Amino acid sequence: MGNSASRSDFEWVYTDQPHTQRRKEILAKYPAIKALMRPDPRLKWAVLVLVLMQLLACWLVRRLAWRWLLFWAYAFGGCVNHSLTLAIHDISHNAAFGTGCAARNRWLAVFANLPVGVPYAASFKKYHVDHHRYLGGDGLDVDVPTRLEGWFFCTPARKLLWLVLQPFFYSLRPLCVHPKAVTRMEVLNTLVQLAADVAIFALWGLKPMVYLLASSLLGLGLHPISGHFVAEHYMFLKGHETYSYYGPLNWITFNVGYHVEHHDFPSIPGYSLPLVRKMAPEYYDHLPQHHSWVKVLWDFVFEDSLGPYARVKRVYRLAKDGL
């Protein structure tokens, strides 16, 4: 467990991200894909069901032994809370109500945030737009690890620890890499979340709150679903910076595995992304792809060529208005 990763820097490139050009080519060849750029009416109901499931779980765990509470937080709550974060991801692209109803999308994201235990939905949207606009951008894309992460988490044992601590890195990295002013929506997100946390504690005590927080920390850390964090953009093959996964876990993750398709068409809800691949198979079937998120995590830990440094980075020249 002591071999050090072979990379000592990111993979710097001097070309634009591939999704812009591929989007133009696909739309020129298959203009019918534009019909998929519409809201997903199922999304709000899926969120409602997931939130209610976690509220029911809060009631059920209030008298569980601590060891069983943590077991169910990992095995069940971790799946539900991770799925809710991916619903928030879809909602950040206005997938629930469309671009004309931005406020409805934002408040649905705040509602989906409630079982997560800590406010993050509004902050996620603020930074996620940069991940798409400036994919791999130095100092702009906070999805890319810092140099400190790349330098320190370079052995199998340290990479395993890095996977466990993923929720903390995703939360704290934006403050270090690209801090932005706090928005009104972030303040409201925080107030609503605190009110919900206080209400759950007042109704059912400490254990339900521990269950929710443990569900988020365990479900977003070393968990099979968390393989998507690594699978999406870590460079498993030189020359490829975005990868798709077409396995069964897409059923509970709003098709986040269709990640090449998502970056090509971020305005298409996750529900419809399989149709993009079906309509334009020659653009996707030949690309390298993942078949198991568990294998992704295993390879990340034990392959010397993989680690936090295994990311494509580029320098973007920003316009004067900051866009």
Side-chain angles (χ1 to χ4, degrees):
M1 296 286 282
N3 294 334
S4 180
S6 59
R7 297 194 65 92
S8 59
D9 197 1
F10 299 104
E11 181 78 6
W12 290 91
V13 300
Y14 303 94
T15 56
D16 192 13
Q17 58 169 292
H19 303 286
T20 305
Q21 182 59 34
R22 184 162 51 233
R23 181 186 308 120
K24 292 178 180 178
E25 292 180 11
I26 293 175
L27 286 177
K29 190 172 182 179
Y30 301 105
I33 284 180
K34 292 181 181 179
L36 302 177
M37 299 175 184
R38 61 179 184 269
D40 177 9
R42 291 161 288 257
L43 184 53
K44 59 181 177 292
W45 301 116
V47 167
L48 177 62
V49 169
L50 290 171
V51 171
L52 292 178
M53 285 170 62
Q54 280 296 68
L55 287 177
L56 176 61
C58 284
W59 181 79
L60 292 172
V61 305
R62 71 196 190 285
R63 289 188 172 87
L64 274 186
W66 285 107
R67 63 182 182 277
W68 286 110
L69 183 148
L70 293 175
F71 169 80
W72 287 112
Y74 184 85
F76 177 77
C79 297
V80 176
N81 275 13
H82 202 135
S83 292
L84 280 168
T85 67
L86 295 172
I88 290 170
H89 165 261
D90 241 24
I91 296 166
S92 74
H93 291 282
N94 298 313
F97 299 105
T99 55
C101 300
R104 286 169 138 191
N105 286 292
R106 290 181 186 134
W107 282 109
L108 180 64
V110 170
F111 178 70
N113 194 156
L114 296 180
V116 177
V118 293
Y120 98 101
S123 299
F124 175 82
K125 178 176 176 62
K126 182 172 71 173
Y127 284 100
H128 190 63
V129 65
D130 289 340
H131 171 61
H132 279 269
R133 185 180 296 178
Y134 307 117
L135 181 63
D138 185 35
L140 296 170
D141 184 358
V142 298
D143 187 68
V144 179
T146 61
R147 284 192 173 276
L148 179 61
E149 292 171 73
W151 168 77
F152 184 78
F153 296 100
C154 59
T155 66
R158 293 180 185 180
K159 287 190 283 184
L160 185 65
L161 177 62
W162 186 79
L163 292 173
V164 172
L165 298 176
Q166 277 296 288
F168 298 100
F169 288 117
Y170 270 92
S171 300
L172 299 175
R173 192 184 296 139
L175 304 178
C176 301
V177 175
H178 192 203
K180 295 184 178 184
V182 176
T183 66
R184 177 176 176 271
M185 198 65 210
E186 286 177 293
V187 174
L188 294 173
N189 188 180
T190 301
L191 292 175
V192 171
Q193 187 66 53
L194 289 175
D197 292 347
V198 169
I200 290 172
F201 179 79
L203 285 171
W204 298 317
L206 178 64
K207 285 187 176 180
M209 277 310 307
V210 173
Y211 165 78
L212 292 179
L213 293 172
S215 295
S216 297
L217 293 175
L218 298 175
L220 295 168
L222 189 61
H223 193 282
I225 297 178
S226 293
H228 81 87
F229 288 132
V230 176
E232 291 166 359
H233 296 293
Y234 285 80
M235 196 175 63
F236 283 74
L237 288 175
K238 188 177 179 66
H240 296 274
E241 60 183 300
T242 308
Y243 302 77
S244 284
Y245 155 82
Y246 299 122
L249 288 178
N250 278 307
W251 284 93
I252 60 171
T253 57
F254 298 91
N255 284 329
V256 73
Y258 287 77
H259 215 67
V260 177
E261 294 85 344
H262 170 62
H263 272 264
D264 287 352
F265 300 100
S267 59
I268 295 179
Y271 176 82
S272 299
L273 289 176
L275 293 176
V276 174
R277 184 190 181 202
K278 185 176 180 180
M279 294 171 73
E282 70 273 25
Y283 286 94
Y284 299 107
D285 289 351
H286 71 285
L287 295 176
Q289 56 195 246
H290 296 294
H291 302 283
S292 167
W293 280 337
V294 173
K295 186 177 187 303
V296 164
L297 294 174
W298 179 275
D299 290 344
F300 181 82
V301 170
F302 293 106
E303 290 288 337
D304 290 345
S305 61
L306 293 171
Y309 266 142
R311 289 291 296 261
V312 168
K313 288 194 77 173
R314 49 175 60 86
V315 176
Y316 283 90
R317 292 189 177 184
L318 304 183
K320 291 181 179 180
D321 62 358
L323 297 177

